Amino acid sequence: MAGNEIEIESRDLNLWYGGAQALKDITLTMPEKKVTAIIGPSGCGKSTFIRCINRMNDLIKDCRITGELLFEGRNVYDKGVDAASLRKKIGMVFQKPNPFPMSVYDNIAYGPRLHGLRKREELDEIVEESLKASALWKEIADILDRSALDLSGGQQQRLCIARTLAVKPKVILFDEPCSALDPISTAKIEDLINNLKHDYTIVIVTHNMQQAARVSDYTAFFLLGELVEFGKTKQIFEMPEEKSTEDYITGRFG
Amino acid sequence: MTVVTAIRTLVSPATSDKVAMMMLWISASIAILILLFILGYIVIRGISVVNLSFLLGSPRLSGAEGGILPAIVGTFCLMVVAMLSAVPIGIGAAIYLAEYAPKGAVTGIITFGVECLAGVPSIVIGLFGYAFLVIYLGFGFSILSGGLALMFMVLPWIVRVSEESIKAVPMGLREGSFALGATKWQTVSRAVLPSAVPGIVTGVILGIGKAIGETAVIMFTAGSSLLMPSSLFDPVRALPYHLYILASEGISDTMAYGSSVVLLAMVLLINLAAIAVQKRYGRYHGRK
Ligand SMILES: Nc1ncnc2c1ncn2[C@@H]1O[C@H](COP(=O)(O)OP(=O)(O)OP(=O)(O)O)[C@@H](O)[C@H]1O
Ligand SMILES: [Mg+2]
């Protein structure tokens, strides 16, 4: 990991949904401007973990967290940290595309408007920039006033990425962004992630081993709420230290 | 039991499928026929008096002759007062119940209260409106009293329908908004409410539809003046009450049916307006 600043770090992170523990002592570092993939069988706590990073779990009742999650050197669960401002810096793209029932333009302008931007020219510029960065501009430049729900699933997901880029975050969390998409749309999103990592720190949850191997620099393998193994993606895929990692990667379970 | 089993063995699934469809078709036809019959009967009996001078004229001889403009205007004013007060309160309450209220005893009690209010017979609301608005608050028989009493009637409907449409907004949409750094209120006002608008509009329209034909409430509160109102504190006679008086006091059956036709037309217009509004706001709610 030499040469890379650590952007996000979790230390002994535990999480309970009511009485059920979903994360156990997760200690993990995610370097700046790299892609970290989180893999593991269904229900092992991948979504739960990345939702800790932008405090999305705050929305869930009866969710209790101990330990630390450091971002920019500060525990995001400290009293003084405002979740809304944190989420502005740590964007998130969800498994199911969730565009707002508004025009394409308004979807992208939603974030900047939240944060006080009103000037039409500036918004126009951000919309164009974000659509270009998410490789959507060519396809939909002339239908910006159409409903976002008229777009295809893959376009909707890239719109959600554009929407996230529009608030200029430092980190983008992807929770299985391609699981609802066809192979072509998936390839487009993978290309996109490969481009975005030059400017953003990325954490991606995926069930697709090839995808993890293709897009990520580091990989973390979770099992039953625990971190089993973490390291360079190449190392995890080629010579995993743990038997369970190897079994999972080679498809022997999960 | 044995008979049913016997029939089951005798009748093939394909036949019972046909029979079921036939029965449903008959039910649907009966429902539509009843509706057409009522509409046809009223229109045939009343349409002859409906013309421009009926719509825009003032009544003479207690309404036996002349027009019904004051009653149309009265109905319109009552609706405006009722909706201007019910819509903001109703939507506000719905937002609170759906988004903010902690799920627990208190919320349960509020919801139960709203349900009960929805079930109070209109005549009781009318009586209460008379005691509270007309007498106690001193609003007299007036547009204000009538409008507010109608608000009591429609409020629970608006709360209920709005609450349901707000709750029906998918969680993913809220998460999308939060993930962009929105606060709770920003999320509710900018993402959730716009998505709930079509449902809320339907609720409001339902409310107007319920209120516009309401007679018991307004005869206790709005008065029965046939003069043109000039302020909120003037009494008015709403259209349904006018036709009730025309018919029950034997003033003129034809005029009563004429008024019914106008009332029906108003309801129709409201529904068309609702569809137009839903189209306008529903524009972004998916492919057509
Ligand atoms: N809101 C919740 N309330 C209670 N339990 C939850 C909640 N969300 C998740 N869990 C539980 O926590 C555990 C981890 O769930 P999580 O969604 O993080 O798994 P995952 O690794 O993302 O799985 P998948 O690959 O299927 O998305 C599961 O046992 C799940 O049932
Ligand atoms: Mg998940």
Side-chain angles (χ1 to χ4, degrees):
Chain A
M1 234 176 285
N4 289 310
E5 296 281 328
I6 289 165
E7 176 99 55
I8 305 164
E9 181 175 1
S10 82
R11 286 191 194 152
D12 296 322
L13 197 75
N14 287 280
L15 181 146
W16 290 263
Y17 290 118
Q21 186 161 12
L23 293 177
K24 290 174 201 147
D25 291 327
I26 306 289
T27 296
L28 179 60
T29 54
M30 286 151 271
E32 192 178 9
K33 295 195 180 159
K34 294 284 169 198
V35 179
T36 304
I38 305 214
I39 60 170
S42 196
C44 68
K46 306 180 295 294
S47 301
T48 302
F49 178 71
I50 68 163
R51 289 165 61 95
C52 286
I53 301 174
N54 65 344
R55 287 184 54 177
M56 224 48 194
N57 289 323
D58 287 15
L59 306 180
I60 294 167
K61 233 182 108 212
D62 294 333
C63 173
R64 196 163 59 82
I65 293 168
T66 66
E68 288 186 318
L69 204 143
L70 304 172
F71 170 62
E72 296 177 329
R74 186 167 183 204
N75 184 5
V76 302
Y77 289 97
D78 271 353
K79 279 264 173 342
V81 177
D82 173 51
S85 329
L86 176 76
R87 295 186 194 124
K88 188 172 173 247
K89 291 193 206 146
I90 307 182
M92 185 166 209
V93 176
F94 298 83
Q95 177 168 4
K96 214 171 137 231
N98 56 353
F100 303 122
M102 306 167 184
S103 70
V104 168
Y105 185 99
D106 289 338
N107 260 275
I108 300 171
Y110 187 91
R113 280 180 179 143
L114 284 179
H115 305 111
L117 203 66
R118 285 282 169 275
K119 288 216 192 75
R120 185 76 192 192
E121 313 86 72
E122 288 177 37
L123 286 173
D124 286 350
E125 205 172 295
I126 291 184
V127 168
E128 184 173 340
E129 253 172 42
S130 312
L131 282 174
K132 280 181 174 159
S134 60
L136 255 185
W137 180 251
K138 284 208 192 93
E139 285 166 60
I140 63 171
D142 46 350
I143 54 163
L144 295 183
D145 57 345
R146 282 262 294 280
S147 167
L149 303 182
D150 287 346
L151 302 179
S152 75
Q155 289 174 328
Q156 288 188 11
Q157 195 61 306
R158 278 178 289 151
L159 178 70
C160 291
I161 296 174
R163 184 173 80 179
T164 303
L165 298 179
V167 294
K168 305 193 170 22
K170 291 188 73 183
V171 178
I172 308 178
L173 311 171
F174 289 89
D175 191 352
E176 296 185 48
C178 305
S179 67
L181 306 181
D182 64 279
I184 294 173
S185 304
T186 301
K188 283 185 183 163
I189 296 211
E190 286 181 14
D191 285 347
L192 197 53
I193 291 173
N194 273 323
N195 287 331
L196 291 174
K197 77 171 171 195
H198 302 299
D199 302 308
Y200 303 89
T201 303
I202 291 173
V203 184
I204 178 171
V205 170
T206 177
H207 270 291
N208 181 332
M209 290 307 110
Q210 288 82 19
Q211 180 169 72
R214 277 192 300 263
V215 302
S216 71
D217 303 298
Y218 296 90
T219 297
F221 174 59
F222 278 50
L223 189 61
L224 299 171
E226 285 179 275
L227 174 67
V228 173
E229 193 168 352
F230 174 68
K232 286 230 160 84
T233 298
K234 204 167 148 46
Q235 178 248 312
I236 296 277
F237 276 82
E238 285 171 9
M239 34 182 170
E241 281 167 13
E242 301 291 328
K243 176 89 171 60
S244 55
T245 313
E246 189 179 346
D247 287 348
Y248 181 70
I249 287 170
T250 52
R252 250 166 279 168
F253 77 82
Chain B
M1 272 318 275
T2 45
V3 179
V4 174
T5 334
I7 292 176
R8 282 232 177 100
T9 45
L10 281 175
V11 181
S12 76
T15 316
S16 59
D17 195 57
K18 273 197 195 115
V19 171
M21 214 195 72
M22 199 63 196
M23 307 268 255
L24 297 175
W25 185 85
I26 291 171
S27 311
S29 308
I30 291 175
I32 291 168
L33 276 178
I34 291 175
L35 190 72
L36 284 180
F37 180 73
I38 295 175
L39 281 178
Y41 184 80
I42 289 168
V43 170
I44 288 165
R45 301 225 24 197
I47 198 77
S48 61
V49 294
V50 179
N51 54 35
L52 219 54
S53 65
F54 180 70
L55 291 175
L56 299 180
S58 289
R60 292 186 306 276
L61 305 174
S62 305
E65 285 174 21
I68 55 165
L69 186 64
I72 294 177
V73 171
T75 293
F76 181 76
C77 294
L78 288 169
M79 289 307 116
V80 169
V81 171
M83 289 303 146
L84 282 185
S85 50
V87 169
I89 299 176
I91 294 180
I95 294 175
Y96 177 76
L97 289 174
E99 293 287 337
Y100 290 92
K103 316 269 166 290
V106 178
T107 314
I109 291 169
I110 297 177
T111 307
F112 180 68
V114 170
E115 304 269 311
C116 285
L117 191 56
V120 175
S122 54
I123 191 88
V124 177
I125 301 245
L127 200 62
F128 169 77
Y130 173 74
F132 182 66
L133 299 166
V134 177
I135 307 294
Y136 181 75
L137 291 182
F139 293 160
F141 289 114
S142 62
I143 293 174
L144 188 60
S145 298
L148 292 179
L150 283 175
M151 181 261 274
F152 300 156
M153 284 253 8
V154 296
L155 194 57
W157 290 90
I158 295 183
V159 173
R160 200 145 79 176
V161 180
S162 305
E163 188 187 345
E164 264 154 36
S165 17
I166 291 170
K167 281 186 174 159
V169 174
M171 192 57 196
L173 209 95
R174 293 180 173 81
E175 290 189 332
S177 172
F178 282 120
L180 293 167
T183 60
K184 173 90 184 190
W185 173 241
Q186 285 174 326
T187 298
V188 169
S189 60
R190 298 178 192 215
V192 177
L193 275 189
S195 314
V197 160
I200 293 175
V201 170
T202 312
V204 170
I205 302 298
L206 258 175
I208 299 180
K210 221 176 126 57
I212 198 165
E214 192 44 62
T215 318
V217 168
I218 45 134
M219 68 186 197
F220 277 116
T221 50
S224 70
S225 160
L226 275 171
L227 297 174
M228 207 46 131
S230 60
S231 92
L232 268 183
F233 294 97
D234 281 351
V236 287
R237 181 189 292 185
L239 209 44
Y241 190 31
H242 182 56
L243 83 84
Y244 169 75
I245 292 177
L246 289 180
S248 65
E249 294 180 9
I251 296 170
S252 164
D253 268 4
T254 329
M255 293 305 242
Y257 282 108
S259 305
S260 307
V261 172
V262 175
L263 194 56
L264 281 176
M266 286 170 93
V267 173
L268 195 72
L269 279 180
I270 290 168
N271 282 301
L272 288 178
I275 293 169
V277 172
Q278 273 179 324
K279 273 235 171 86
R280 165 84 181 73
Y281 281 96
R283 196 156 56 109
Y284 292 124
H285 289 257
R287 288 161 214 257
K288 250 271 121 120

PDB file of all heavy atoms in Angstrom, chain B residues 72-86 143 146-147 150 154 207-214 218 238 240 266 270:
ATOM      1  N   ILE B  72     -74.540  28.488  -7.643  1.00  0.00           N
ATOM      2  CA  ILE B  72     -73.270  28.019  -8.227  1.00  0.00           C
ATOM      3  C   ILE B  72     -72.112  28.746  -7.581  1.00  0.00           C
ATOM      4  O   ILE B  72     -71.129  28.133  -7.140  1.00  0.00           O
ATOM      5  CB  ILE B  72     -73.263  28.236  -9.755  1.00  0.00           C
ATOM      6  CG1 ILE B  72     -74.326  27.340 -10.421  1.00  0.00           C
ATOM      7  CG2 ILE B  72     -71.880  27.931 -10.330  1.00  0.00           C
ATOM      8  CD1 ILE B  72     -74.440  27.539 -11.916  1.00  0.00           C
ATOM      9  N   VAL B  73     -72.253  30.080  -7.492  1.00  0.00           N
ATOM     10  CA  VAL B  73     -71.188  30.871  -6.879  1.00  0.00           C
ATOM     11  C   VAL B  73     -71.004  30.449  -5.420  1.00  0.00           C
ATOM     12  O   VAL B  73     -69.876  30.285  -4.934  1.00  0.00           O
ATOM     13  CB  VAL B  73     -71.506  32.383  -6.973  1.00  0.00           C
ATOM     14  CG1 VAL B  73     -70.521  33.200  -6.157  1.00  0.00           C
ATOM     15  CG2 VAL B  73     -71.501  32.825  -8.424  1.00  0.00           C
ATOM     16  N   GLY B  74     -72.127  30.234  -4.721  1.00  0.00           N
ATOM     17  CA  GLY B  74     -72.055  29.818  -3.315  1.00  0.00           C
ATOM     18  C   GLY B  74     -71.302  28.508  -3.168  1.00  0.00           C
ATOM     19  O   GLY B  74     -70.397  28.388  -2.337  1.00  0.00           O
ATOM     20  N   THR B  75     -71.648  27.533  -3.983  1.00  0.00           N
ATOM     21  CA  THR B  75     -70.961  26.239  -3.936  1.00  0.00           C
ATOM     22  C   THR B  75     -69.471  26.413  -4.188  1.00  0.00           C
ATOM     23  O   THR B  75     -68.629  25.857  -3.486  1.00  0.00           O
ATOM     24  CB  THR B  75     -71.559  25.292  -5.004  1.00  0.00           C
ATOM     25  OG1 THR B  75     -72.894  24.993  -4.629  1.00  0.00           O
ATOM     26  CG2 THR B  75     -70.770  24.004  -5.119  1.00  0.00           C
ATOM     27  N   PHE B  76     -69.172  27.240  -5.201  1.00  0.00           N
ATOM     28  CA  PHE B  76     -67.777  27.472  -5.548  1.00  0.00           C
ATOM     29  C   PHE B  76     -67.010  28.082  -4.364  1.00  0.00           C
ATOM     30  O   PHE B  76     -65.930  27.621  -3.993  1.00  0.00           O
ATOM     31  CB  PHE B  76     -67.715  28.385  -6.767  1.00  0.00           C
ATOM     32  CG  PHE B  76     -66.333  28.684  -7.223  1.00  0.00           C
ATOM     33  CD1 PHE B  76     -65.605  27.727  -7.924  1.00  0.00           C
ATOM     34  CD2 PHE B  76     -65.727  29.900  -6.943  1.00  0.00           C
ATOM     35  CE1 PHE B  76     -64.306  27.981  -8.330  1.00  0.00           C
ATOM     36  CE2 PHE B  76     -64.433  30.165  -7.351  1.00  0.00           C
ATOM     37  CZ  PHE B  76     -63.720  29.216  -8.048  1.00  0.00           C
ATOM     38  N   CYS B  77     -67.610  29.113  -3.736  1.00  0.00           N
ATOM     39  CA  CYS B  77     -66.941  29.772  -2.604  1.00  0.00           C
ATOM     40  C   CYS B  77     -66.713  28.789  -1.454  1.00  0.00           C
ATOM     41  O   CYS B  77     -65.649  28.773  -0.830  1.00  0.00           O
ATOM     42  CB  CYS B  77     -67.760  30.953  -2.094  1.00  0.00           C
ATOM     43  SG  CYS B  77     -67.888  32.289  -3.278  1.00  0.00           S
ATOM     44  N   LEU B  78     -67.724  27.964  -1.176  1.00  0.00           N
ATOM     45  CA  LEU B  78     -67.592  26.989  -0.089  1.00  0.00           C
ATOM     46  C   LEU B  78     -66.443  26.025  -0.367  1.00  0.00           C
ATOM     47  O   LEU B  78     -65.655  25.694   0.516  1.00  0.00           O
ATOM     48  CB  LEU B  78     -68.893  26.205   0.081  1.00  0.00           C
ATOM     49  CG  LEU B  78     -70.061  26.990   0.689  1.00  0.00           C
ATOM     50  CD1 LEU B  78     -71.359  26.198   0.553  1.00  0.00           C
ATOM     51  CD2 LEU B  78     -69.793  27.323   2.150  1.00  0.00           C
ATOM     52  N   MET B  79     -66.355  25.587  -1.629  1.00  0.00           N
ATOM     53  CA  MET B  79     -65.274  24.661  -1.986  1.00  0.00           C
ATOM     54  C   MET B  79     -63.911  25.321  -1.795  1.00  0.00           C
ATOM     55  O   MET B  79     -62.977  24.702  -1.297  1.00  0.00           O
ATOM     56  CB  MET B  79     -65.388  24.231  -3.463  1.00  0.00           C
ATOM     57  CG  MET B  79     -66.537  23.316  -3.787  1.00  0.00           C
ATOM     58  SD  MET B  79     -66.558  21.885  -2.729  1.00  0.00           S
ATOM     59  CE  MET B  79     -68.081  22.195  -1.911  1.00  0.00           C
ATOM     60  N   VAL B  80     -63.828  26.583  -2.229  1.00  0.00           N
ATOM     61  CA  VAL B  80     -62.535  27.266  -2.129  1.00  0.00           C
ATOM     62  C   VAL B  80     -62.109  27.372  -0.666  1.00  0.00           C
ATOM     63  O   VAL B  80     -60.979  27.036  -0.304  1.00  0.00           O
ATOM     64  CB  VAL B  80     -62.604  28.668  -2.791  1.00  0.00           C
ATOM     65  CG1 VAL B  80     -61.356  29.473  -2.464  1.00  0.00           C
ATOM     66  CG2 VAL B  80     -62.766  28.520  -4.298  1.00  0.00           C
ATOM     67  N   VAL B  81     -63.036  27.812   0.200  1.00  0.00           N
ATOM     68  CA  VAL B  81     -62.686  27.943   1.616  1.00  0.00           C
ATOM     69  C   VAL B  81     -62.320  26.576   2.198  1.00  0.00           C
ATOM     70  O   VAL B  81     -61.302  26.419   2.890  1.00  0.00           O
ATOM     71  CB  VAL B  81     -63.846  28.574   2.420  1.00  0.00           C
ATOM     72  CG1 VAL B  81     -63.550  28.509   3.915  1.00  0.00           C
ATOM     73  CG2 VAL B  81     -64.056  30.008   1.987  1.00  0.00           C
ATOM     74  N   ALA B  82     -63.126  25.572   1.894  1.00  0.00           N
ATOM     75  CA  ALA B  82     -62.878  24.242   2.462  1.00  0.00           C
ATOM     76  C   ALA B  82     -61.519  23.719   2.018  1.00  0.00           C
ATOM     77  O   ALA B  82     -60.734  23.214   2.829  1.00  0.00           O
ATOM     78  CB  ALA B  82     -63.988  23.273   2.033  1.00  0.00           C
ATOM     79  N   MET B  83     -61.213  23.875   0.728  1.00  0.00           N
ATOM     80  CA  MET B  83     -59.967  23.294   0.226  1.00  0.00           C
ATOM     81  C   MET B  83     -58.753  24.105   0.636  1.00  0.00           C
ATOM     82  O   MET B  83     -57.712  23.548   0.967  1.00  0.00           O
ATOM     83  CB  MET B  83     -60.031  23.170  -1.297  1.00  0.00           C
ATOM     84  CG  MET B  83     -60.985  22.079  -1.725  1.00  0.00           C
ATOM     85  SD  MET B  83     -60.472  20.505  -0.971  1.00  0.00           S
ATOM     86  CE  MET B  83     -62.030  19.733  -0.699  1.00  0.00           C
ATOM     87  N   LEU B  84     -58.894  25.442   0.635  1.00  0.00           N
ATOM     88  CA  LEU B  84     -57.745  26.252   1.045  1.00  0.00           C
ATOM     89  C   LEU B  84     -57.356  25.950   2.489  1.00  0.00           C
ATOM     90  O   LEU B  84     -56.198  26.059   2.864  1.00  0.00           O
ATOM     91  CB  LEU B  84     -58.039  27.750   0.879  1.00  0.00           C
ATOM     92  CG  LEU B  84     -57.955  28.278  -0.539  1.00  0.00           C
ATOM     93  CD1 LEU B  84     -58.145  29.789  -0.562  1.00  0.00           C
ATOM     94  CD2 LEU B  84     -56.615  27.907  -1.182  1.00  0.00           C
ATOM     95  N   SER B  85     -58.345  25.581   3.308  1.00  0.00           N
ATOM     96  CA  SER B  85     -57.984  25.250   4.687  1.00  0.00           C
ATOM     97  C   SER B  85     -57.619  23.780   4.839  1.00  0.00           C
ATOM     98  O   SER B  85     -56.690  23.439   5.562  1.00  0.00           O
ATOM     99  CB  SER B  85     -59.112  25.640   5.647  1.00  0.00           C
ATOM    100  OG  SER B  85     -60.347  25.121   5.181  1.00  0.00           O
ATOM    101  N   ALA B  86     -58.315  22.911   4.142  1.00  0.00           N
ATOM    102  CA  ALA B  86     -58.082  21.475   4.345  1.00  0.00           C
ATOM    103  C   ALA B  86     -56.781  20.983   3.716  1.00  0.00           C
ATOM    104  O   ALA B  86     -56.101  20.133   4.287  1.00  0.00           O
ATOM    105  CB  ALA B  86     -59.252  20.662   3.793  1.00  0.00           C
ATOM    106  N   ILE B 143     -70.279  31.851   4.318  1.00  0.00           N
ATOM    107  CA  ILE B 143     -69.337  31.059   3.525  1.00  0.00           C
ATOM    108  C   ILE B 143     -68.245  30.509   4.433  1.00  0.00           C
ATOM    109  O   ILE B 143     -67.838  29.351   4.333  1.00  0.00           O
ATOM    110  CB  ILE B 143     -68.715  31.934   2.428  1.00  0.00           C
ATOM    111  CG1 ILE B 143     -69.790  32.342   1.413  1.00  0.00           C
ATOM    112  CG2 ILE B 143     -67.580  31.212   1.718  1.00  0.00           C
ATOM    113  CD1 ILE B 143     -69.304  33.319   0.374  1.00  0.00           C
ATOM    114  N   GLY B 146     -69.590  27.616   6.627  1.00  0.00           N
ATOM    115  CA  GLY B 146     -69.857  26.453   5.779  1.00  0.00           C
ATOM    116  C   GLY B 146     -68.574  25.831   5.256  1.00  0.00           C
ATOM    117  O   GLY B 146     -68.400  24.606   5.277  1.00  0.00           O
ATOM    118  N   GLY B 147     -67.658  26.691   4.825  1.00  0.00           N
ATOM    119  CA  GLY B 147     -66.396  26.207   4.271  1.00  0.00           C
ATOM    120  C   GLY B 147     -65.593  25.458   5.325  1.00  0.00           C
ATOM    121  O   GLY B 147     -65.042  24.380   5.062  1.00  0.00           O
ATOM    122  N   LEU B 150     -67.138  22.138   6.121  1.00  0.00           N
ATOM    123  CA  LEU B 150     -66.807  21.174   5.065  1.00  0.00           C
ATOM    124  C   LEU B 150     -65.372  20.696   5.206  1.00  0.00           C
ATOM    125  O   LEU B 150     -65.048  19.541   4.919  1.00  0.00           O
ATOM    126  CB  LEU B 150     -67.008  21.808   3.685  1.00  0.00           C
ATOM    127  CG  LEU B 150     -68.450  21.919   3.221  1.00  0.00           C
ATOM    128  CD1 LEU B 150     -68.516  22.682   1.902  1.00  0.00           C
ATOM    129  CD2 LEU B 150     -69.078  20.549   3.061  1.00  0.00           C
ATOM    130  N   VAL B 154     -63.776  16.880   5.011  1.00  0.00           N
ATOM    131  CA  VAL B 154     -62.858  16.326   4.010  1.00  0.00           C
ATOM    132  C   VAL B 154     -61.446  16.100   4.551  1.00  0.00           C
ATOM    133  O   VAL B 154     -60.677  15.343   3.974  1.00  0.00           O
ATOM    134  CB  VAL B 154     -62.781  17.202   2.737  1.00  0.00           C
ATOM    135  CG1 VAL B 154     -64.121  17.241   2.050  1.00  0.00           C
ATOM    136  CG2 VAL B 154     -62.280  18.598   3.052  1.00  0.00           C
ATOM    137  N   GLY B 207     -61.790  14.519  -2.042  1.00  0.00           N
ATOM    138  CA  GLY B 207     -62.320  15.410  -1.011  1.00  0.00           C
ATOM    139  C   GLY B 207     -63.323  16.393  -1.590  1.00  0.00           C
ATOM    140  O   GLY B 207     -64.422  16.572  -1.061  1.00  0.00           O
ATOM    141  N   ILE B 208     -62.952  17.035  -2.699  1.00  0.00           N
ATOM    142  CA  ILE B 208     -63.868  17.999  -3.318  1.00  0.00           C
ATOM    143  C   ILE B 208     -65.142  17.281  -3.755  1.00  0.00           C
ATOM    144  O   ILE B 208     -66.254  17.761  -3.540  1.00  0.00           O
ATOM    145  CB  ILE B 208     -63.206  18.694  -4.527  1.00  0.00           C
ATOM    146  CG1 ILE B 208     -61.966  19.465  -4.070  1.00  0.00           C
ATOM    147  CG2 ILE B 208     -64.190  19.647  -5.202  1.00  0.00           C
ATOM    148  CD1 ILE B 208     -61.247  20.178  -5.199  1.00  0.00           C
ATOM    149  N   GLY B 209     -64.948  16.114  -4.360  1.00  0.00           N
ATOM    150  CA  GLY B 209     -66.106  15.352  -4.820  1.00  0.00           C
ATOM    151  C   GLY B 209     -67.055  15.030  -3.677  1.00  0.00           C
ATOM    152  O   GLY B 209     -68.273  15.065  -3.826  1.00  0.00           O
ATOM    153  N   LYS B 210     -66.481  14.728  -2.527  1.00  0.00           N
ATOM    154  CA  LYS B 210     -67.288  14.426  -1.354  1.00  0.00           C
ATOM    155  C   LYS B 210     -67.982  15.685  -0.848  1.00  0.00           C
ATOM    156  O   LYS B 210     -69.155  15.656  -0.475  1.00  0.00           O
ATOM    157  CB  LYS B 210     -66.364  13.900  -0.250  1.00  0.00           C
ATOM    158  CG  LYS B 210     -66.908  12.740   0.524  1.00  0.00           C
ATOM    159  CD  LYS B 210     -65.868  12.251   1.517  1.00  0.00           C
ATOM    160  CE  LYS B 210     -66.449  12.218   2.920  1.00  0.00           C
ATOM    161  NZ  LYS B 210     -67.652  11.403   3.064  1.00  0.00           N
ATOM    162  N   ALA B 211     -67.245  16.793  -0.849  1.00  0.00           N
ATOM    163  CA  ALA B 211     -67.755  18.030  -0.259  1.00  0.00           C
ATOM    164  C   ALA B 211     -68.805  18.696  -1.127  1.00  0.00           C
ATOM    165  O   ALA B 211     -69.758  19.284  -0.630  1.00  0.00           O
ATOM    166  CB  ALA B 211     -66.595  18.996  -0.007  1.00  0.00           C
ATOM    167  N   ILE B 212     -68.656  18.572  -2.443  1.00  0.00           N
ATOM    168  CA  ILE B 212     -69.497  19.381  -3.322  1.00  0.00           C
ATOM    169  C   ILE B 212     -70.961  18.959  -3.247  1.00  0.00           C
ATOM    170  O   ILE B 212     -71.870  19.779  -3.391  1.00  0.00           O
ATOM    171  CB  ILE B 212     -68.970  19.335  -4.776  1.00  0.00           C
ATOM    172  CG1 ILE B 212     -69.549  20.508  -5.572  1.00  0.00           C
ATOM    173  CG2 ILE B 212     -69.304  18.028  -5.463  1.00  0.00           C
ATOM    174  CD1 ILE B 212     -68.837  20.750  -6.871  1.00  0.00           C
ATOM    175  N   GLY B 213     -71.208  17.699  -2.992  1.00  0.00           N
ATOM    176  CA  GLY B 213     -72.596  17.246  -2.922  1.00  0.00           C
ATOM    177  C   GLY B 213     -73.134  17.233  -1.504  1.00  0.00           C
ATOM    178  O   GLY B 213     -74.275  16.834  -1.261  1.00  0.00           O
ATOM    179  N   GLU B 214     -72.302  17.666  -0.556  1.00  0.00           N
ATOM    180  CA  GLU B 214     -72.652  17.598   0.853  1.00  0.00           C
ATOM    181  C   GLU B 214     -73.775  18.591   1.188  1.00  0.00           C
ATOM    182  O   GLU B 214     -73.655  19.776   0.921  1.00  0.00           O
ATOM    183  CB  GLU B 214     -71.397  17.906   1.681  1.00  0.00           C
ATOM    184  CG  GLU B 214     -71.529  17.595   3.119  1.00  0.00           C
ATOM    185  CD  GLU B 214     -72.186  16.250   3.358  1.00  0.00           C
ATOM    186  OE1 GLU B 214     -71.643  15.207   2.934  1.00  0.00           O
ATOM    187  OE2 GLU B 214     -73.272  16.267   3.962  1.00  0.00           O
ATOM    188  N   ILE B 218     -73.808  21.829   5.235  1.00  0.00           N
ATOM    189  CA  ILE B 218     -73.925  23.254   4.923  1.00  0.00           C
ATOM    190  C   ILE B 218     -75.289  23.826   5.284  1.00  0.00           C
ATOM    191  O   ILE B 218     -75.411  25.019   5.510  1.00  0.00           O
ATOM    192  CB  ILE B 218     -73.592  23.542   3.444  1.00  0.00           C
ATOM    193  CG1 ILE B 218     -74.277  22.531   2.560  1.00  0.00           C
ATOM    194  CG2 ILE B 218     -72.121  23.546   3.190  1.00  0.00           C
ATOM    195  CD1 ILE B 218     -74.929  23.165   1.441  1.00  0.00           C
ATOM    196  N   ALA B 238     -75.840  26.549  -1.107  1.00  0.00           N
ATOM    197  CA  ALA B 238     -75.093  25.709  -2.048  1.00  0.00           C
ATOM    198  C   ALA B 238     -76.058  24.961  -2.949  1.00  0.00           C
ATOM    199  O   ALA B 238     -77.226  24.765  -2.603  1.00  0.00           O
ATOM    200  CB  ALA B 238     -74.203  24.728  -1.296  1.00  0.00           C
ATOM    201  N   PRO B 240     -76.526  21.761  -3.883  1.00  0.00           N
ATOM    202  CA  PRO B 240     -77.292  20.591  -3.428  1.00  0.00           C
ATOM    203  C   PRO B 240     -78.435  20.973  -2.480  1.00  0.00           C
ATOM    204  O   PRO B 240     -79.523  20.382  -2.542  1.00  0.00           O
ATOM    205  CB  PRO B 240     -76.261  19.713  -2.718  1.00  0.00           C
ATOM    206  CG  PRO B 240     -75.027  20.504  -2.610  1.00  0.00           C
ATOM    207  CD  PRO B 240     -75.090  21.643  -3.563  1.00  0.00           C
ATOM    208  N   MET B 266     -70.643  19.769 -12.764  1.00  0.00           N
ATOM    209  CA  MET B 266     -69.526  20.291 -11.974  1.00  0.00           C
ATOM    210  C   MET B 266     -68.630  19.153 -11.498  1.00  0.00           C
ATOM    211  O   MET B 266     -67.398  19.243 -11.560  1.00  0.00           O
ATOM    212  CB  MET B 266     -70.045  21.096 -10.777  1.00  0.00           C
ATOM    213  CG  MET B 266     -70.600  22.459 -11.174  1.00  0.00           C
ATOM    214  SD  MET B 266     -71.467  23.275  -9.800  1.00  0.00           S
ATOM    215  CE  MET B 266     -70.159  24.246  -9.102  1.00  0.00           C
ATOM    216  N   ILE B 270     -64.687  18.605 -12.320  1.00  0.00           N
ATOM    217  CA  ILE B 270     -63.650  18.426 -11.303  1.00  0.00           C
ATOM    218  C   ILE B 270     -62.815  17.194 -11.608  1.00  0.00           C
ATOM    219  O   ILE B 270     -61.589  17.210 -11.545  1.00  0.00           O
ATOM    220  CB  ILE B 270     -64.284  18.305  -9.901  1.00  0.00           C
ATOM    221  CG1 ILE B 270     -64.865  19.646  -9.483  1.00  0.00           C
ATOM    222  CG2 ILE B 270     -63.260  17.824  -8.887  1.00  0.00           C
ATOM    223  CD1 ILE B 270     -65.739  19.550  -8.264  1.00  0.00           C
TER     224      ILE B 270
END
